[in-house]
Amino acid sequence: MWRISMFNLLPKQLTGALLLAGVLSGCTMAPTYVRPEAPVAGSYPAAADGQAQLDAAALGWRQFFPDQRLQALIASALENNRDLRTAALNIEQARAQYDITAADALPNFDGNFSRTRGRTATYQLVPGQNAVNNVYQVGLNMTSFELDFFGRVRSLKDAALASYLATEEARQSAQISLISQVAQAYLTEQSYAEQERLARQTLDSRLDDYKLDKMRFEVGASSELDLRNSETLVQSARVSLTTLVRQRGQATNALVLLVGKPLGDLPAPQSLSDEQIVTDIPAGLPSDLLNRRPDIREAEQQLRSANANIGAARAAFFPTISLTAGIGNASTSLGSLFSAGSRTWSFVPQLTLPIFEGGRNRANLSLSEIRKNLAIASYEKTIQSAFREVADALVARGTLEEQLAAQDAFLKAQEQRVKLTELRYKNGIASSTDRLNAQRDLFSAQQSLIQTRQLRLNNAIDLYRSLGGGLNENTAVAAK
C-alpha cells in the first residue's frame, strides 16, 4: 500500500517512464543461444550390449557403495570436507553477486532529511532579511535509474544468473569428485592393509623356516648357502612389511584429509575380494552425459554467461537513458516544513550518447565475442574429456575382469609350485635357490592379486563418477 501511494505522489511523466522501462526491460541484444553440437561419437568404443537400464546419476551412492564402513566415511566427508565447504561458499558468493546485479534493474529510492544553515553577504540583503538563514528539506529521491531500452542491464543480469548456476554445478561436480576420491582412498588404505597382513604372515612363516634351516646347518645337514638364502627371504619380507606399514599410514592420512576429521569408530572393513563393496552399472549413451555430468552443465552455463555479455557489449553502442527524480517538502523553519506551499519535486531525465570512445566499445564487443568462442571450446573439450573418461573406464572394465581371473589362476599355480619345490628341497632334489625363487614369486603373486582387485574396484568407481553418479544419497529413480 505504501508503494502505491508513493507512486501517486510522483509526476505523471516519471510514472509513465517507469512503466515503459518495465515493458522494455525484457528486451535484450544478446545473440540467441544455441547449444553447440557434441563433438563425440554416437557410441562408446567398448559400450555394453543394449541400452542402460539404470541412470548412474540417479543411483544413490549408498546403493552403489553397500560397504557400511565406506558409507560412514563418505557421509563424514560430505559434512566436513573443506574443499566441498569452499564450493558451497562460492555458491553463496555468486548468489550475492547475482542479487547485486539484479538490483540494478529496479529503481532505488532513498529518503532524506537535511538542514542547511548559511550566511548571506550584507550587501545582498533586502530590508527585513536575516543574514543567517536555515533551510529544512525532507523527501524521497530516485537517483540515476537506467531505462533499459537496449537490454544492457538485462544482459548483465542474465550473465550473473548463468554464473551463479555454473557455480552450483561446480559444487555438484566437487561432490561427485569427493565421493570417488574418498572411495578410492579407502580402497588404497584397505589394499595396503591386506598387503601388510600378508607381509606379516609371510615374515612369520619365513622366520619359522629360517629357524629350521639354521638347525640343519648347525648339525651339518645343509650348507651355509642354504642358510643365507633362507635369511634373504626373511629380510626381504621384513623390508616389504616396513614399506607397507609406511604406505598404509600415508594412505590413512590422505583418507583423514578427505573425510575432514579423525576416522573414529567405524564398522569393520570388507575384504577387497568381497563383491559387495561396489555395485556394477551399465554405461548408457554418450548423449546422456550432457544431462548427467554437472561439469558439462557448468561449462554450458559459463557459455550462456558469455553469450549474455555480448548483449551488454552491443547495448553500449546505443544511448543510455537514466532518470533522477525527487519529491518532498522544503521550508526555512522546521515547524512549517509540512505546511501548505512547502511541496517540492524534481524530474531530471538524462540521455548519454556515445560519440567518441577511442574504440573502447568495439574492443569490448570483440572481447565478449572472443570469450564466447573460448567458452564454446571449453564446453566442447569438457564433453570430449567426459566421453574419454567413460570410454577408458569401459575398456578397462573388460580387461580387468580377464586380468583378475588370470591373476587368480597364476597365484594358484605359484602355490602349487611352492609346494612341489619345498618337497623336492626336503628330498635333496631342488636347491635352496629354487626354493628362494619360488617363495619370492608366490609373495609377489599374492600382492599382485590384491592390487588387481583394487584396480577393478577403482575402475567401477571411475565409471560411476564419469557417468555423473554421486549426487544422490539414495536411489531417486527406480531401475526399469
Side-chain angles (χ1 to χ4, degrees), residues 6-253:
M6 176 193 70
F7 275 97
N8 289 335
L9 294 174
L10 293 177
K12 293 182 179 180
Q13 298 92 330
L14 177 57
T15 304
L18 290 176
L19 292 175
L20 179 61
V23 173
L24 295 178
S25 63
C27 302
T28 178
M29 301 187 72
T32 301
Y33 174 76
V34 178
R35 174 186 284 181
E37 293 291 333
V40 294
S43 62
Y44 298 109
D49 295 335
Q51 189 173 351
Q53 299 298 311
L54 183 64
D55 185 359
L59 180 63
W61 54 262
R62 286 192 182 273
Q63 278 71 39
F64 184 73
F65 299 109
D67 186 344
Q68 294 184 359
R69 184 182 181 90
L70 180 53
Q71 288 181 1
L73 292 172
I74 292 175
S76 180
L78 292 177
E79 182 179 355
N80 299 290
N81 182 266
R82 298 312 187 269
D83 290 335
L84 192 61
R85 188 174 299 176
T86 300
L89 292 174
N90 286 337
I91 295 177
E92 300 280 344
Q93 177 178 269
R95 178 57 185 268
Q97 185 61 51
Y98 167 69
D99 290 341
I100 293 172
T101 305
D104 293 335
L106 301 173
N108 297 323
F109 294 94
D110 299 317
N112 68 82
F113 172 80
S114 65
R115 175 195 178 191
T116 303
R117 182 178 177 86
R119 186 179 188 282
T120 304
T122 304
Y123 73 89
Q124 294 179 333
L125 295 177
V126 298
Q129 181 180 359
N130 294 326
V132 178
N133 296 313
N134 294 305
V135 177
Y136 296 89
Q137 289 183 322
V138 63
L140 185 68
N141 295 329
M142 180 185 70
T143 306
S144 298
F145 171 60
E146 181 177 345
L147 301 180
D148 198 22
F149 286 99
F150 303 102
R152 188 188 73 87
V153 177
R154 171 63 184 274
S155 295
L156 292 175
K157 178 182 175 182
D158 291 343
L161 176 60
S163 296
Y164 161 64
L165 295 176
T167 309
E168 169 62 26
E169 298 293 353
R171 188 207 64 80
Q172 295 183 2
S173 181
Q175 176 176 324
I176 290 175
S177 296
L178 174 62
I179 289 176
S180 65
Q181 288 173 2
V182 170
Q184 292 183 339
Y186 167 73
L187 293 179
T188 299
E189 193 272 338
Q190 288 301 305
S191 174
Y192 285 135
E194 291 189 13
Q195 293 181 67
E196 179 186 340
R197 288 193 293 271
L198 172 64
R200 290 187 186 278
Q201 294 171 1
T202 302
L203 177 59
D204 292 341
S205 175
R206 291 180 179 179
L207 282 173
D208 292 339
D209 291 341
Y210 176 73
K211 292 178 182 178
L212 293 175
D213 291 337
K214 186 176 182 181
M215 293 174 59
R216 288 167 55 87
F217 170 72
E218 290 175 349
V219 298
S222 64
S223 66
E224 184 178 358
L225 177 60
D226 295 336
L227 179 63
R228 296 311 169 199
N229 280 337
S230 181
E231 183 181 3
T232 300
L233 289 174
V234 171
Q235 300 304 328
S236 175
R238 190 165 286 159
V239 169
S240 297
L241 177 59
T242 55
T243 301
L244 290 167
V245 168
R246 181 185 72 251
Q247 291 174 330
R248 182 187 181 185
Q250 292 173 341
T252 302
N253 293 337

Side-chain angles (χ1 to χ4, degrees), residues 422-442:
E422 287 286 350
L423 183 60
R424 289 169 58 85
Y425 174 73
K426 291 178 180 179
N427 292 328
I429 301 175
S431 65
S432 61
T433 303
D434 295 333
R435 179 191 178 204
L436 181 148
N437 291 334
Q439 291 189 351
R440 282 181 175 174
D441 291 343
L442 175 61

